[in-house]
Amino acid sequence: MLRGSVCRVVKEKKKPWFKKPSTATSRRMRLVRSVNTNLEKTMESLLRTQGIKYQRQPLLFGRPDFRIKSTKVLIFCDSSFWHGRRVKELTGEAFKKNKEFWVNKLQENKKRDSKINSALRKEGWKVLRFWDTDILSRPSKIVKKLALEIKNG
């Protein structure tokens, strides 16, 4: 510990919807990546093939996946699951166990995404969010949108 620093224990409020996951679930969840995912690698490949200069994981609020160099354009590659795209997941219909936890988790993720978008836009950034299904299945759609935004922004 650094001299003069104060170590405080912050007690979190108990979340009534949280149930401690099983050891197997915890082990499985630790394997979920948040950086250098296949989704990001695919987007990086798209950017590279289009000759777009970019920076990976810029140190900005919300940790965007990419920043287009010499513009104010940021890119987020969003997973349909983790960012709450499907109604069945947001309502809990998709879950057999721990529904309340997952519904709350995904709704909080959506709120966080919205706050990140607002904060970055206030700082003058153009925020682009692309769904995993579009990146993986419709790359031409992504390329068109990027070209338009880079031209305008």
Side-chain angles (χ1 to χ4, degrees), residues 41-54 68-69 75 130 135 138-151:
K41 289 176 185 177
T42 303
M43 177 60 85
E44 186 172 19
S45 177
L46 276 174
L47 294 171
R48 207 176 312 116
T49 57
Q50 295 301 309
I52 298 170
K53 295 184 188 226
Y54 60 90
I68 305 301
K69 290 187 175 182
I75 299 172
F130 295 109
I135 295 168
R138 293 182 281 283
S140 59
K141 179 180 175 181
I142 304 297
V143 169
K144 285 179 188 174
K145 178 79 172 165
L146 281 172
L148 181 66
E149 296 300 336
I150 291 169
K151 181 181 172 187

Side-chain angles (χ1 to χ4, degrees), residues 86-144:
R86 294 180 287 260
V87 174
K88 279 190 172 187
E89 288 157 356
L90 288 173
T91 60
E93 291 176 54
F95 305 108
K96 292 180 183 172
K97 294 181 179 178
N98 222 354
K99 285 183 186 184
E100 201 175 349
F101 168 79
W102 285 111
V103 167
N104 193 32
K105 170 74 175 155
L106 298 178
Q107 288 174 348
E108 290 299 316
N109 287 355
K110 284 185 77 72
K111 286 179 193 173
R112 185 191 65 228
D113 289 346
S114 181
K115 287 177 185 174
I116 289 168
N117 291 350
S118 295
L120 290 170
R121 286 181 179 132
K122 282 179 186 170
E123 291 178 17
W125 292 99
K126 176 74 176 178
V127 178
L128 302 178
R129 287 188 175 270
F130 295 109
W131 291 112
D132 52 359
T133 52
D134 293 333
I135 295 168
L136 300 172
S137 304
R138 293 182 281 283
S140 59
K141 179 180 175 181
I142 304 297
V143 169
K144 285 179 188 174

